[in-house]
Amino acid sequence: MEHGLDAAEGHPQYATISPAGLALLFAEGERPSPQTIVDVVEEARRSGLLARVSHRPEPDAGWLELLASGLTFDLLGLAPAEAAAPVAVYQSFGFEGDAAAASATAAALEAIELVPSGHIAAGAGLDPVLRIMMGLAANIALHLPVAAVSWRPAQTLMEPRYFSRIVLNWLGGGAFPALGLTALMRAADGSLATRGLAHFTGQEMQLEGREGEAPGETIKLAIRVIDHLVRVGRITETERAGAGPDTLLFEPSQVGKLVLVWRGD
């Protein structure tokens, strides 16, 4: 059964993993109930959040529909119903300790999941839908004992305060939160490739490495490139950006949904 069907037809199937889902993870027994979410949304509304609960089935259905800026989203896996599907973790951000520990922690947690409702699911990668959904999740995370946040398209795991901070900064006009809403994969030649950027632009990105460049500097450049690509959208023909030694060449690959980024020098 697809997300966002008429309420009379029942709740969405939690076993179905949404490719556009954002999961909030809780310790066992701490997943919120529908009433808790109603209370959280009402409290956030008093602080300026433009959202409300637009449909509330019976409590044991385990889901609610949220309306924000004219768009609807389903929040699944609420107690006492079955939790949302477990998350897969490729890369983690904002936690103290190593990535393996964060992944192990995630395996022991229970998820609720925010997804675009059926009538906007086809536009799940559109900027307005993503911004509203991320803002909703960030506000909910600030009001609940969330242990971690997982973004399924990139298979990333984020510390909840880190997630809320980078998302709210982005929504306030800051840079796109590349380290969280995408993951970065380093190849043996020093190049960096994204995981999950295609959800926002339709293309993944591969940035050429530079001999002798510190890994941290390559990551900083990759973050700026990702922000640029999210702002300009899909690259369909070769483009240049910057000037002098900072020039970058953006070239759409003829194989797969990939944009190659070369150094101009």
Side-chain angles (χ1 to χ4, degrees):
M1 188 178 297
E2 297 296 328
H3 297 320
L5 288 178
D6 187 278
E9 296 183 41
H11 63 75
Q13 294 295 315
Y14 301 155
T16 300
I17 299 177
S18 168
L22 192 143
L24 306 178
L25 307 178
F26 297 81
E28 184 178 358
E30 292 191 359
R31 277 185 300 125
S33 67
Q35 183 58 54
T36 299
I37 297 299
V38 170
D39 295 341
V40 163
V41 171
E42 286 303 313
E43 180 179 351
R45 279 170 60 84
R46 291 193 288 271
S47 302
L49 178 68
L50 301 177
R52 63 180 178 85
V53 175
S54 51
H55 179 72
R56 181 181 179 182
E58 293 298 316
D60 60 0
W63 69 283
L64 292 173
E65 183 185 78
L66 302 175
L67 175 67
S69 299
L71 302 177
T72 55
F73 302 86
D74 292 333
L75 188 59
L76 317 174
L78 302 174
E82 180 184 354
V87 301
V89 179
Y90 175 78
Q91 208 164 72
S92 61
F93 300 94
F95 295 96
E96 295 182 2
D98 59 25
S103 298
T105 298
L109 300 175
E110 296 182 345
I112 66 173
E113 185 163 11
L114 186 67
V115 299
S117 287
H119 73 288
I120 62 169
L126 296 177
D127 186 69
V129 175
L130 288 162
R131 285 176 173 270
I132 293 167
M133 186 173 78
M134 293 295 170
L136 270 175
N139 277 279
I140 292 171
L142 290 171
H143 290 83
L144 291 172
V146 178
V149 178
S150 175
W151 175 230
R152 293 197 192 272
Q155 294 186 340
T156 51
L157 188 74
M158 292 163 277
E159 193 276 331
R161 289 167 296 182
Y162 171 86
F163 165 75
S164 294
R165 183 174 70 253
I166 62 173
V167 164
L168 294 176
N169 177 69
W170 174 44
L171 298 181
F176 176 78
L179 299 184
L181 299 191
T182 66
L184 289 174
M185 304 173 285
R186 185 179 297 276
D189 63 359
S191 64
L192 286 175
T194 59
R195 183 190 188 105
L197 180 61
H199 188 76
F200 298 89
T201 67
Q203 295 168 306
E204 297 296 346
M205 178 277 294
Q206 182 174 317
L207 170 66
E208 177 190 19
R210 172 179 281 172
E211 185 176 357
E213 184 174 70
E217 292 303 310
T218 314
I219 291 174
K220 288 180 182 178
L221 177 58
I223 291 170
R224 295 196 297 272
V225 168
I226 291 168
D227 180 66
H228 172 77
L229 291 172
V230 171
R231 293 177 187 274
V232 303
R234 188 180 184 91
I235 301 295
T236 58
E237 57 185 27
T238 301
E239 298 179 11
R240 288 183 178 270
D246 296 325
T247 300
L248 295 174
L249 181 69
F250 296 83
E251 179 184 2
S253 173
Q254 296 183 12
V255 180
K257 298 178 179 179
L258 177 69
V259 57
L260 302 170
V261 184
W262 309 98
R263 313 292 183 118
D265 57 351

